[in-house]
Amino acid sequence: MNINKAYHRLSLLSHHLPFSLSPPHFLSLSLPRFTSTRTRGRLRTLPSCAGGTTTRAAMSSSRFLHLVPINAAAAEGDTGVGSNGSVSSTAEDEENSALGSGYRLPPPEIKDIVDAPPLPALSFSPQRDKILFLKRRALPPLEELAKPEEKLAGIRIDGKCNTRSRMSFYTSIGIHQLMPDGTLGPEKEVHGFPDGAKINFVSWSLNGQHLSFSIRVDEEENSSSKLRIWVADVETGKARPLFQSPDIHLNAVFDNFVWVDDSTLLVCTIPLSRGDPPKKPLVPSGPKVQSNEQKNVVQVRTFQDLLKDEYDADLFDYYATTQLVLASLDGTMKEIGPPAVYTSMDPSPDQKYLLISSIHRPYSFIVPCGRFPKKVDLWTSEGKFVRELCDLPLAEDIPIAFNSVRKGMRSINWRADKPSTLYWVETQDEGDAKVEVSPRDIVYMQPAEPLDGEQQAILHKLDLRYGGISWCDDSLALVYESWYKTRRTRTWVISPGSEDVSPRILFDRSSEDVYSDPGSPMLRRTTAGTYVIAKIKKENDEGTYILLNGSGATPEGNIPFLDLFDINTGSKERIWESDKEKYYETVVALMSDQSEGDLYLNQLKILTSKESKTENTQYFIQSWLDKKACQITNFPHPYPQLASLQKEMIRYERKDGVQLTATLYLPPGYDPSKDGPLPCLVWSYPGEFKSKDAAGQVRGSPNEFAGIGPTSALLWLARRFAILSGPTIPIIGEGNEEANDRYVEQLVASAEAAVEEVIRRGVAHPNKIAVGGHSYGAFMTANLLAHAPHLFCCGIARSGAYNRTLTPFGFQNEDRTLWEATDTYVEMSPFMSANKIKRPVLLIHGEEDNNPGTLTMQSDRFFNALKGHGALCRLVILPFESHGYAARESIMHVLWETDRWLQKHCVSNTTNVNENLDTCNDEAKEEITDPESKTVPASGGGNPELAESEHEGFHPRARASLW
């Protein structure tokens, strides 16, 4: 996945589903992956252990999901000192650094941007009358990543805190009153907790009068750093521990806590009876044995951090086992249910029931915990068992084909518009996407406590794969389905309370066709804390209207819109649209849904964002009645030294006629007619498409603010580079054609078109164009250096996979196995073409990469293959880092390595990139024909015995969490 795009912006956590007409954005905030605020009606997942593949549609359905900077934060100190030492970026010892001598700092013009102070994140109260400003700290020091962690069942656990390892956190909470005129009142600081406290899991009570959050402090020697729950009075800002006993701690390995009502929380706690962790036996009780004597077909991707033996299983139980506790603000508490590995807990909208999910043995050594046996029970809100909804067996055999799912009940949730009605979906194809059957999925519905003899009701039948439901009321709900292979996505209109009203298709389109995306229905908050489709009324009009919030993709770029849509006739009226000339504006959420009753168009209030190429994102409240927009934030430019950068969305054509796009960034003050061509860095990430037309569509806006993350390629604007960011690299497979069967051909053609365009514009020096990418972008980079050496002078490849025979059961969007598509796997693997790479290549990889497929071993072996053929290459392994890099020392060093590489092999390159290519080819021929040569000619990657040994022991990898 492409994790390189991170912004110095606010975050508004969006509820999204993998289809075009996704639910709109909830008005709350999250830090990356761990510190999300809680809201009723949320989509529940186990992202770090589910082992599934996140679709591109799901990742792109909401731009607001990307607003939190993953690591964009101010420095805690300017020493550059890491755990392995420190040096400066002086030229005196630069060449000596080639062998490595500690962590380095990049040039000041890059370092200062990365060290820009982080902006706070925002969260609005349920009544929309208050705003939290949650302050964040700088990039974490490496010593935090170096803390011990347990790698168990596909997740990583901090044993001292009893939570996921490497958690981000807030440092303080400020409360602002939102005044009637739209301005903010003075800040009230939440106080009462210890200095230096690390704050996580901030959430509002349902009535907005209290905040709940977890606190941990830097531990002193032999002291506990486990999490405790605190609550704060919103009016006074005074905070206090929820539990009077200092021995009650939060267990946040899976879920953490949730408001059941205005004064009661359901909390996952560490059992008080728990002792010390189990000790690993010095001598094993026997060998490690796995068996498939039943001849089952079990194909799994290369997950990591899996359980290895019974000791690991015991350790997983030790850290993941939770005691649920009901705790009231008045200090009373009550344990409910037995200790178990609870993974989620959802109160019903009427606060009478709890939907409790847990996992249990037998565990697996080949799949992560998201596929362990799963039990879903219904309890009363007092903790009394009502009934078991399902107990799903271990799911090791989910097929690798896209859209394959687990057998049995899945996606069990409460209806957002009903007091206590459950709904779920069950597959009819045994979970195998390759099985042709109609219907493929059936959605069921049932009251929490059905009457005697009352059976589950069929709500809807689907021929594609179920994608979610947006509820409104008994007369309206939207059901989504999609199919990856065809990119087809459909939205159905149903009437849940009327069996005599037939479902009808509202939208039927390609998920790739962004120009036809009608937008997402905006949701309103209910008094129960759930979110439903907002119905809009017009004066003297009996029509049924909803609001569709769309990105507005056009050939000129995205122009977001808000449409008033008649759900019965399909007619629509555009009631709001972003500025097209200078600004990029978006609708974030409704602000007039704080009370029950009808929403009238002329009383509408919405939260919008506004930005430009050079102006940071600000937030506004817009009122329909007086057409007034009130600005509620005034954030400074995070890197004023680049405030006048130049940005342009450019279009050009591939030789096969496919239209391509890219964003071209140029340094402040640059004039090609006066300054001449610049060194250029091309940074991209390939994508798969089913049609040429869809591949050629424009995505993004020329007016979006240039967010620069801590490892962004845009940092080199400060070093006077031209940056070609995100040039589309479409790998197209139309009809029954598999896109990857022509991967190399289309990859090279796309890169050639991009390079020709920047040269034609006179902004890039033909001999000074570098290419780079992260993850699948690193895979792209290595392939381009192997197959298009005439285009680039050097490359930077970060956290990539280079030998696809090590991911034999699929990778990225390829769901054929190595044995089904052997030629494709081999031809796509730059490892097999290491003998062809003659351009300098910098490889960077986290030593603890947990992303499936991108094992650290991939870079190790690729480097050895390159070195074995005399290639100019360098391998940098970052201690304690995962797939994305987090520690300040690591990030600064990555930037130093990258800048050194670019200065040495791009800026200082004086040779023609096409020079010596013939010589290289001649040398390869001599290698084959010289009878005196002792060298074995490279054929498709070298020694077949070595290639065979590469297949031994597929190392499982866990899917990295997306955000």
Side-chain angles (χ1 to χ4, degrees):
M1 55 170 277
N2 183 1
I3 64 167
N4 190 51
K5 187 177 181 183
Y7 297 85
H8 290 261
R9 296 185 181 178
L10 304 176
S11 167
L12 292 141
L13 176 65
S14 62
H15 178 124
H16 65 286
L17 294 166
F19 34 78
S20 63
L21 217 163
S22 59
H25 321 291
F26 289 165
L27 211 50
S28 54
L29 168 149
S30 72
L31 271 180
R33 183 166 71 142
F34 311 108
T35 52
S36 60
T37 52
R38 302 292 296 262
T39 182
R40 283 287 190 86
R42 62 196 181 281
L43 180 68
R44 286 204 172 272
T45 58
L46 295 177
S48 297
C49 64
T53 302
T54 303
T55 65
R56 186 173 304 276
M59 288 189 285
S60 63
S61 64
S62 169
R63 71 178 294 269
F64 302 107
L65 186 63
H66 303 272
L67 295 184
V68 170
I70 294 176
N71 289 312
E76 291 181 343
D78 201 22
T79 63
V81 177
S83 59
N84 292 355
S86 69
V87 296
S88 68
S89 56
T90 59
E92 179 182 349
D93 57 357
E94 184 159 321
E95 285 309 308
N96 294 333
S97 70
L99 297 178
S101 56
Y103 287 95
R104 300 299 183 102
L105 291 174
E109 52 264 49
I110 289 178
K111 173 183 158 298
D112 291 348
I113 296 173
V114 177
D115 279 344
L119 297 177
L122 298 186
S123 177
F124 287 79
S125 68
Q127 286 69 36
R128 309 294 191 253
D129 59 344
K130 295 179 179 64
I131 308 176
L132 300 184
F133 277 58
L134 297 108
K135 320 297 174 56
R136 299 178 295 110
R137 62 143 187 198
L139 296 172
L142 187 63
E143 65 182 4
E144 287 199 8
L145 272 66
K147 293 178 180 179
E149 60 183 358
E150 304 292 344
K151 302 172 183 177
L152 302 167
I155 60 177
R156 295 182 175 183
I157 299 171
D158 182 334
K160 278 192 171 294
C161 294
N162 217 105
T163 185
R164 299 294 177 94
S165 59
R166 309 182 184 206
M167 285 209 310
S168 304
F169 58 87
Y170 302 116
T171 56
S172 64
I173 304 173
I175 305 173
H176 289 267
Q177 186 77 29
L178 186 60
M179 309 305 287
D181 61 358
T183 60
L184 295 183
E187 182 172 273
K188 183 190 320 174
E189 191 86 6
V190 175
H191 58 280
F193 46 76
D195 292 338
K198 299 177 179 179
I199 303 169
N200 290 92
F201 311 122
V202 181
S203 66
W204 293 90
S205 64
L206 300 180
N207 59 11
Q209 295 179 10
H210 291 87
L211 298 173
S212 57
F213 48 90
S214 70
I215 288 287
R216 56 193 161 111
V217 294
D218 287 329
E219 68 274 16
E220 299 174 0
E221 189 174 355
N222 298 323
S223 70
S224 173
S225 61
K226 293 181 173 62
L227 282 67
R228 297 190 66 196
I229 299 181
W230 286 60
V231 291
D233 184 287
V234 172
E235 288 303 318
T236 65
K238 175 67 175 176
R240 60 177 176 84
L242 175 65
F243 297 107
Q244 296 178 2
S245 170
D247 298 325
I248 300 178
H249 296 105
L250 183 67
N251 186 336
V253 169
F254 287 108
D255 215 331
N256 41 76
F257 54 86
V258 63
W259 289 92
V260 176
D261 55 40
D262 291 336
S263 60
T264 308
L265 291 108
L266 179 60
V267 185
C268 295
T269 69
I270 298 172
L272 291 173
S273 60
R274 190 179 80 172
D276 295 330
K279 293 184 178 180
K280 188 176 182 68
L282 294 176
V283 178
S285 60
K288 299 176 182 178
V289 177
Q290 295 189 52
S291 174
N292 191 35
E293 296 179 41
Q294 297 79 23
K295 297 183 180 181
N296 295 324
V297 176
V298 178
Q299 300 178 351
V300 295
R301 294 218 176 187
T302 45
F303 302 120
Q304 184 166 297
D305 298 341
L306 303 180
L307 299 178
K308 299 180 290 296
D309 49 33
E310 282 303 316
Y311 167 74
D312 272 3
D314 291 342
L315 204 59
F316 176 75
D317 276 338
Y318 176 83
Y319 287 114
T321 297
T322 288
Q323 175 62 62
L324 297 182
V325 173
L326 281 172
S328 297
L329 296 180
D330 62 9
T332 60
M333 56 169 285
K334 172 188 174 184
E335 291 185 353
I336 61 172
V341 183
Y342 297 109
T343 56
S344 69
M345 45 195 189
D346 257 332
S348 61
D350 63 3
Q351 306 170 3
K352 292 182 178 180
Y353 299 97
L354 300 173
L355 189 62
I356 304 293
S357 298
S358 61
I359 56 179
H360 60 82
R361 292 177 183 250
Y363 296 151
S364 170
F365 299 125
I366 64 172
V367 294
C369 57
R371 296 191 183 186
F372 288 179
K374 178 181 179 180
K375 186 179 179 183
V376 183
D377 290 333
L378 188 66
W379 299 357
T380 68
S381 58
E382 295 297 317
K384 180 183 177 182
F385 176 82
V386 177
R387 63 185 175 116
E388 178 185 289
L389 297 178
C390 66
D391 192 350
L392 305 177
L394 179 65
E396 290 183 331
D397 59 348
I398 298 176
I400 61 173
F402 285 105
N403 288 123
S404 293
V405 295
R406 191 172 194 158
K407 301 173 188 175
M409 296 173 68
R410 68 182 199 277
S411 300
I412 306 173
N413 287 293
W414 298 108
R415 270 187 63 169
D417 62 325
K418 288 291 184 179
S420 53
T421 299
L422 292 163
Y423 71 98
W424 67 93
V425 63
E426 294 184 30
T427 181
Q428 307 300 301
D429 56 12
E430 296 297 307
D432 189 348
K434 291 184 177 180
V435 173
E436 294 295 334
V437 64
S438 178
R440 189 173 293 276
D441 274 339
I442 297 180
V443 184
Y444 294 97
M445 186 172 61
Q446 191 176 51
E449 292 192 72
L451 301 175
D452 290 341
E454 184 178 1
Q455 299 296 313
Q456 60 197 33
I458 294 177
L459 180 67
H460 193 50
K461 297 180 179 180
L462 300 166
D463 284 337
L464 308 182
R465 187 63 78 203
Y466 169 80
I469 300 179
S470 291
W471 298 96
C472 182
D473 53 31
D474 271 338
S475 67
L476 175 62
L478 301 181
V479 183
Y480 311 98
E481 62 175 339
S482 62
W483 197 248
Y484 177 76
K485 278 292 185 183
T486 60
R487 307 302 196 273
R488 190 179 185 185
T489 178
R490 294 195 297 196
T491 302
W492 291 83
V493 177
I494 64 171
S495 296
S498 303
E499 294 183 4
D500 56 337
V501 178
S502 299
R504 59 185 175 87
I505 293 177
L506 185 64
F507 303 117
D508 188 348
R509 47 183 292 275
S510 168
S511 60
E512 292 182 336
D513 182 10
V514 294
Y515 291 171
S516 70
D517 190 342
S520 307
M522 297 206 71
L523 304 184
R524 64 172 295 171
R525 188 180 186 276
T526 69
T527 54
T530 62
Y531 284 81
V532 298
I533 296 173
K535 275 188 176 180
I536 305 297
K537 286 186 172 291
K538 296 171 68 175
E539 295 290 346
N540 303 317
D541 189 331
E542 296 301 319
T544 301
Y545 297 96
I546 64 173
L547 295 171
L548 293 182
N549 180 13
S551 59
T554 74
E556 288 71 44
N558 288 0
I559 305 172
F561 63 83
L562 191 64
D563 281 349
L564 187 67
F565 184 80
D566 189 320
I567 200 71
N568 295 319
T569 67
S571 63
K572 57 185 176 181
E573 174 190 354
R574 186 139 302 176
I575 61 173
W576 179 91
E577 189 173 68
S578 171
D579 177 83
K580 305 175 186 178
E581 303 304 320
K582 180 181 179 182
Y583 291 101
Y584 177 74
E585 301 170 286
T586 64
V587 173
V588 180
L590 284 175
M591 295 294 288
S592 51
D593 62 344
Q594 66 272 26
S595 58
E596 287 287 338
D598 295 330
L599 289 177
Y600 282 87
L601 182 62
N602 61 2
Q603 298 174 355
L604 204 61
K605 285 186 179 180
I606 58 172
L607 180 70
T608 62
S609 67
K610 185 177 183 180
E611 63 197 88
S612 74
K613 297 176 185 178
T614 59
E615 297 174 57
N616 200 359
T617 306
Q618 307 296 347
Y619 288 85
F620 296 76
I621 293 179
Q622 298 209 21
S623 173
W624 244 249
L625 185 62
D626 53 15
K627 303 300 181 184
K628 179 183 177 182
C630 183
Q631 184 172 339
I632 61 172
T633 60
N634 188 24
F635 297 117
H637 198 295
Y639 20 87
Q641 59 271 54
L642 292 179
S644 58
L645 62 79
Q646 304 172 54
K647 175 186 177 182
E648 181 184 0
M649 290 187 69
I650 63 174
R651 301 190 69 177
Y652 48 97
E653 188 175 292
R654 203 164 74 179
K655 62 184 179 182
D656 59 358
V658 175
Q659 294 294 315
L660 304 178
T661 62
T663 305
L664 177 63
Y665 293 90
L666 298 171
Y670 169 72
D671 185 341
S673 63
K674 295 179 181 178
D675 302 327
L678 298 170
C680 178
L681 175 58
V682 178
W683 199 271
S684 193
Y685 191 92
E688 293 77 17
F689 291 88
K690 290 301 294 182
S691 76
K692 293 181 178 179
D693 288 342
Q697 292 183 351
V698 178
R699 293 162 173 83
S701 167
N703 295 325
E704 285 183 271
F705 182 69
I708 302 179
T711 56
S712 169
L714 300 186
L715 290 165
W716 276 270
L717 289 168
R719 298 284 277 167
R720 306 297 293 176
F721 269 71
I723 308 295
L724 192 66
S725 177
T728 46
I729 310 286
I731 310 300
I732 304 167
E734 294 189 306
N736 294 324
E737 180 187 18
E738 294 287 347
N740 284 337
D741 288 347
R742 293 175 52 235
Y743 174 85
V744 171
E745 172 193 338
Q746 296 189 67
L747 179 73
V748 172
S750 298
E752 284 177 338
V755 168
E756 289 170 2
E757 180 64 17
V758 291
I759 293 174
R760 183 191 69 79
R761 289 171 170 262
V763 298
H765 193 293
N767 300 326
K768 299 182 179 183
I769 302 177
V771 63
H774 188 101
S775 193
Y776 206 51
F779 176 73
M780 169 205 76
T781 297
N783 265 307
L784 286 173
L785 294 180
H787 303 292
H790 58 292
L791 297 178
F792 303 105
C793 61
C794 65
I796 299 105
R798 299 192 321 221
S799 298
Y802 309 102
N803 183 354
R804 285 306 170 192
T805 68
L806 297 177
T807 55
F809 290 109
F811 58 89
Q812 198 69 6
N813 291 318
E814 177 60 70
D815 62 0
R816 295 172 295 175
T817 70
L818 167 65
W819 300 273
E820 293 171 326
T822 305
D823 289 345
T824 297
Y825 272 67
V826 171
E827 290 168 7
M828 287 183 70
S829 298
F831 179 87
M832 303 301 182
S833 300
N835 59 312
K836 299 178 182 178
I837 295 179
K838 307 300 180 183
R839 299 297 177 210
V841 56
L842 172 64
L843 304 175
I844 301 174
H845 216 120
E847 192 171 31
E848 303 294 333
D849 194 327
N850 64 345
N851 190 54
T854 56
L855 298 80
T856 306
M857 176 184 66
Q858 289 271 7
S859 286
D860 285 329
R861 292 189 175 182
F862 188 42
F863 175 74
N864 287 331
L866 293 168
K867 191 168 62 171
H869 289 89
L872 199 169
C873 53
R874 180 175 172 90
L875 172 63
V876 179
I877 300 295
L878 302 171
F880 307 113
E881 294 290 352
S882 185
H883 191 58
Y885 318 138
R888 184 175 188 270
E889 294 92 331
S890 302
I891 288 172
M892 291 297 182
H893 190 81
V894 166
L895 300 177
W896 177 83
E897 290 278 2
T898 304
D899 188 70
R900 173 186 176 271
W901 204 254
L902 291 173
Q903 297 298 324
K904 189 172 184 178
H905 301 294
C906 182
V907 175
S908 300
N909 184 44
T910 57
T911 60
N912 190 309
V913 291
N914 292 298
E915 209 170 280
N916 298 327
L917 289 183
D918 292 337
T919 305
C920 294
N921 292 334
D922 290 341
E923 288 174 355
K925 291 176 183 177
E926 288 174 10
E927 199 173 61
I928 297 174
T929 57
D930 185 357
E932 301 297 320
S933 174
K934 303 297 183 183
T935 305
V936 178
S939 175
N943 191 331
E945 292 182 6
L946 175 63
E948 186 64 27
S949 72
E950 299 278 3
H951 300 158
E952 295 176 4
F954 306 133
H955 296 270
R957 309 285 293 183
R959 183 168 185 81
S961 212
L962 248 165
W963 305 115

